[in-house]
DNA sequence: AATGAAATAAAAAAGTC
DNA sequence: GACTTTTTTATTTCATT
């Protein structure tokens, strides 16, 4: 089976992932010292983790507030009967405000997480959503504060 | 005011952030070519963005499924009357399954996002939550599929 | 702030076990 | 797979504008 071919991950790989999660700029020598491996071996393992898609990319974790996007909100979506679900998904993928979009169990069909400049921007986002014609109804919950934040990065353009 | 002292960000900084978001291993020369700046100038700007906390860290984006954590779920939390909220927040910060925790508006007090190995692990997590004594009640919504995923990284240990 | 040149450090490649 | 050595590339520092 191709998808799991050569995908044996061991404790060293997991440790490398831990270390890179904390600081992706650590040198191969530094990581090697931590896992008792030569820099080249670490390099080979990282290349393999990338090739296997375990590591999706090297990126930066940004403070959204410092990028003038301090407001996070969750939007529950019930799609209108007969809505073009593929188009809705494309909208979620492309819209810069949407940082997460999940198809979910329960009373609603989708849950969006959006990251915006202020409540006015949130209101405009919701207006856009309504105008797009996907929705039967929606419900919005605002994050007053965040205790555990996922990494934030700007969407590809 | 100290918190905003020297925090003038321009279009070049934003472009550098865009480029690093897409691939944090791009060389300074490469980024410099994209923004018409020398490698040293790009280096100085990145250092400043780190010092200012705009860039929180260089990290990797992992595929949680390939780390054997394929199940994402959202847990709405109503805290029990008189619950130790600081202790609840500490729990959320420390528990490895909790990838997000937000204090939210609306009928519930908190929203957690958890990333687990399977439904059994989710059940165990919810049991732990209940045993901890923070909850009045909770409601769990499972992500059937994810259209837009935030970066995922392992929590600091 | 930005630059180029010099110095240092790191990563990638090649070849061996 | 992992190691060492060599080569190539990248980063950092620093004096100058």
């Amino acid at each position: 089976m191709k998808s799991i071919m050569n995908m044996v991950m061991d404790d060293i790989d997991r440790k490398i992932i831990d270390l890179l999660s904390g600081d992706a700029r650590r040198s191969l020598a530094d990581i090697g010292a931590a896992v008792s491996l030569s820099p080249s071996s670490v390099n080979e393992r990282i290349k393999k983790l990338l090739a296997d898609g375990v590591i999706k990319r090297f990126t930066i974790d940004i403070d959204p507030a410092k990028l003038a996007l301090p407001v996070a909100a969750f939007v529950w979506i019930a799609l209108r009967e007969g809505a073009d679900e593929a188009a809705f998904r494309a909208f979620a993928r492309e819209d810069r405000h949407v940082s997460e979009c999940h198809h979910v169990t329960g009373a609603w069909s989708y849950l969006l997480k959006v990251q915006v400049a202020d409540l006015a921007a949130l209101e405009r986002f919701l207006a856009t959503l309504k105008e797009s014609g996907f929705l039967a109804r929606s419900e919005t919950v605002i994050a007053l504060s965040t205790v555990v934040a996922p990494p934030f990065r700007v969407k590809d353009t």
Side-chain angles (χ1 to χ4, degrees), chain A residues 11-74:
Chain A
D11 288 345
I12 293 180
D13 287 325
R14 274 181 281 275
K15 182 70 185 165
I16 290 171
I17 288 167
D18 280 6
L19 293 166
L20 291 175
S21 282
D23 177 7
R25 292 205 294 185
R26 294 182 71 151
S27 72
L28 300 175
D30 197 33
I31 296 165
V35 300
S36 308
L37 232 48
S38 71
S40 349
S41 296
V42 174
N43 198 17
E44 276 164 17
R45 278 169 179 263
I46 292 173
K47 282 194 149 65
K48 184 153 191 310
L49 289 167
L50 279 162
D52 291 345
V54 179
I55 297 175
K56 294 202 281 188
R57 73 210 309 167
F58 280 69
T59 189
I60 50 175
D61 181 9
I62 300 163
D63 183 341
K66 298 219 165 122
L67 265 196
L69 295 168
V71 177
F74 292 89

Side-chain angles (χ1 to χ4, degrees), chain A residues 20 60 67 69 103 127 129 131-132 145 154:
Chain A
L20 291 175
I60 50 175
L67 265 196
L69 295 168
H103 187 206
L129 247 190
E131 282 159 23
S132 70
S145 68
V154 297

Side-chain angles (χ1 to χ4, degrees), chain A residues 81-144:
Chain A
E81 186 76 15
D84 182 346
E85 202 155 338
F88 170 75
R89 284 169 177 244
F91 162 81
R93 265 191 295 267
E94 278 149 44
D95 190 281
R96 289 177 41 263
H97 306 98
V98 177
S99 61
E100 300 187 39
C101 172
H102 308 272
H103 187 206
V104 290
T105 60
W108 302 91
S109 3
Y110 284 89
L111 175 60
L112 301 184
K113 185 185 179 194
V114 297
Q115 196 77 42
V116 292
D118 50 32
L119 294 182
L122 179 57
E123 191 173 25
R124 285 195 300 276
F125 173 80
L126 294 170
T128 305
L129 247 190
K130 270 162 204 153
E131 282 159 23
S132 70
F134 297 121
L135 302 195
R137 46 188 209 295
S138 74
E139 206 170 290
T140 301
V141 170
I142 295 170
L144 298 166

